[in-house]
Amino acid sequence: MSRPIGEEAREDLTARGYSRRQLAGIAAVFGVGAIAATSGRPSWAAIEMPAPTPNAKVRIDKNECWTGPMKVGQAAAVAMVAQGNRYFPNDARNDLLHAVSAVEGIPADHVSPWPGSSDALCRAVVTFCSPKRGLVTADPVFELAGATADWLGAPVKRVPLTPDYRHDVKAMLAADPNAGAYYICSPNNPTGTLTPIEDIDWLVANKPDGAFVIVDEAYIHFADVPSASRLVTEGKDVVVLRTFSKVFGMAGLRMGYMMARPEVIRTMQRYDGGMTSGALCVTTLACAVASLTARDEIAARKAQLRETRAMTVEHVKKRGLSVVPSEANMIMIDWKTKSAGDMRDAFRAQGVEIGRVFPAWPTHSRVSIGSMDDMKAFCATLDRIWV
Ligand code: PLP
């Protein structure tokens, strides 16, 4: 169900070196939202996002929140259901732009909502990369940007993290000094580690003309760090991505947003005439607007995460295993003598679903931090299977 690409976007893409076959592929990216087809396989499947295992008792595999949307968000969404006969029962999309503006200190016209940040991430890759100008990512990192570029035929360079788990921005620039985009994920998925804002500043100051730095802040609410949104307000070639799928507990409701200069937003929307960003689910919008300013609940969730994560890390370390120090709702455990795939199978056999394998780190498993009960069950299972 792909939508045709508009004439202006088509001309721009052709000028940037995309072939007719690749244009059809781009239409498919946006026709099905974030699900870019990779030789017939959706990219979510390519990065192992299968449906949950039916018998999983503990689901700590996808970095979801351990609990549902915030109370105020749920109430707002429920109240909106009865008005679902209208395309636009109120101006909730605009309310979201202004709520983000107030919380982030960024002009409302620098904000663009999407049904999840995955769509915006795929679009950013299509917009800034091409067969002539590639993508640079870290490794390991959230794979969607790289998978999209691979599938589009844009060259991809994957650069190892530094020994202290930052994105190695100097090595990233050196890997492709003329890339179309540099993807930074901070806190990083899967390691939960931070890339200091000074490093991002450096990359933005030194990147080639015309390139963009894509900063994915999906997990920023769990950490105490400044956002890269300042660079957007300064007019830099930066897009910042946010999602409601993590601290806000709305992964299945699908909402995210992007912060960028208005003309960049317009460029990214032209592939589908603004449809995906414009026609949003009104119950989800209502939930997002109400949740965004629920400061006390955000702080409470962050505190809860820290307590649960600390308990889990302490338990795992007592078993002699090492854990990458994380600032997000996931940890990477190094099994050293066993493969991540074997450990995932061993946990799965016990009804505990842990994260997918990141090939750059074959002996590390990503374990999302669930509820305290989830993590106690995880620790008890570890004690049973790690002998
Ligand atoms: N960016 C990162 C770093 C993620 O880990 C994820 C999902 O896990 C996403 C983006 C996609 O999130 P969304 O649910 O908003 O599409």
Side-chain angles (χ1 to χ4, degrees):
M1 55 161 245
S2 63
R3 296 184 198 108
I5 296 176
E7 197 54 41
E8 187 200 339
R10 184 174 283 273
E11 276 170 20
D12 164 69
L13 291 163
T14 312
R16 289 194 288 126
Y18 283 106
S19 67
R20 282 166 64 96
R21 189 184 55 79
Q22 286 165 326
L23 289 196
I26 290 168
V29 172
F30 301 124
V32 291
I35 306 171
T38 30
S39 18
R41 295 170 70 211
S43 71
W44 273 27
I47 63 169
E48 291 190 63
M49 293 275 283
T53 323
N55 65 352
K57 292 191 285 278
V58 178
R59 288 163 59 174
I60 44 176
D61 55 326
K62 293 189 181 62
N63 292 348
E64 296 154 333
C65 194
W66 57 92
T67 187
M70 294 176 174
K71 292 279 175 291
V72 282
Q74 292 192 27
V78 168
M80 183 56 72
V81 170
Q83 300 174 63
N85 56 312
R86 301 284 174 206
Y87 288 108
F88 304 105
N90 60 5
D91 206 3
R93 186 181 185 278
N94 214 17
D95 292 345
L96 182 70
L97 304 190
H98 284 93
V100 172
S101 169
V103 170
E104 299 294 334
I106 188 164
D109 67 353
H110 285 52
V111 184
S112 166
W114 307 90
S117 58
S118 296
D119 184 303
L121 181 52
C122 293
R123 266 167 211 269
V125 172
V126 171
T127 306
F128 308 129
C129 301
S130 65
K132 293 178 188 162
R133 294 193 74 172
L135 175 76
V136 184
T137 76
D139 200 14
V141 77
F142 183 57
E143 309 94 321
L144 187 57
T148 304
D150 277 338
W151 178 72
L152 290 169
V156 183
K157 291 280 190 303
R158 295 178 168 85
V159 177
L161 298 171
T162 62
D164 59 351
Y165 311 111
R166 287 175 290 123
H167 284 50
D168 192 339
V169 288
K170 291 194 173 153
M172 286 174 76
L173 184 60
D176 186 349
N178 193 35
Y182 299 83
Y183 173 63
I184 305 275
C185 186
S186 180
N188 187 38
N189 175 10
T191 55
T193 51
L194 302 169
T195 295
I197 192 73
E198 294 75 22
D199 290 0
I200 299 174
D201 283 336
W202 182 89
L203 183 58
V204 172
N206 291 282
K207 67 163 187 64
D209 279 353
F212 269 69
V213 177
I214 304 167
V215 187
D216 190 336
E217 296 184 338
Y219 301 95
I220 197 165
H221 288 98
F222 296 120
D224 291 314
V225 285
S227 168
S229 60
R230 169 185 51 83
L231 289 158
V232 175
T233 39
E234 287 172 4
K236 300 282 172 31
D237 293 338
V238 172
V239 302
V240 176
L241 302 176
R242 293 287 184 85
T243 180
F244 284 87
S245 299
K246 308 303 169 185
V247 82
F248 295 105
M250 291 175 57
L253 293 178
R254 310 304 301 136
M255 181 58 61
Y257 61 90
M258 180 185 88
M259 295 179 273
R261 296 197 309 268
E263 75 272 17
V264 178
I265 291 174
R266 276 194 297 279
T267 305
M268 285 176 59
Q269 287 180 348
R270 69 190 165 170
Y271 301 107
D272 61 355
M275 179 79 175
T276 313
S277 175
L280 296 163
C281 169
V282 291
T283 49
T284 300
L285 266 175
C287 186
V289 173
S291 304
L292 202 59
T293 47
R295 286 178 195 277
D296 290 349
E297 214 170 333
I298 296 172
R301 286 183 179 201
K302 187 172 171 180
Q304 194 178 338
L305 165 75
R306 288 181 175 187
E307 187 189 347
T308 315
R309 190 178 60 205
M311 183 283 293
T312 311
V313 169
E314 193 186 331
H315 188 95
V316 171
K317 282 187 170 168
K318 271 196 202 139
R319 306 238 32 143
L321 296 161
S322 61
V323 180
V324 175
S326 166
E327 298 289 333
N329 62 334
M330 72 199 94
I331 51 173
M332 284 292 254
I333 301 173
D334 189 358
W335 311 110
K336 291 201 169 77
T337 55
K338 296 216 165 117
S339 79
D342 286 351
M343 289 306 289
R344 185 178 56 175
D345 292 346
F347 275 103
R348 184 173 282 165
Q350 304 284 323
V352 176
E353 199 63 23
I354 63 170
R356 60 183 178 269
V357 177
F358 287 80
W361 288 15
T363 63
H364 284 75
S365 290
R366 189 192 71 186
V367 176
S368 307
I369 303 297
S371 66
M372 192 53 103
D373 283 350
D374 286 338
M375 300 323 288
K376 284 186 175 159
F378 166 79
C379 291
T381 307
L382 175 67
D383 290 347
R384 273 200 303 281
I385 65 176
W386 188 256
V387 282

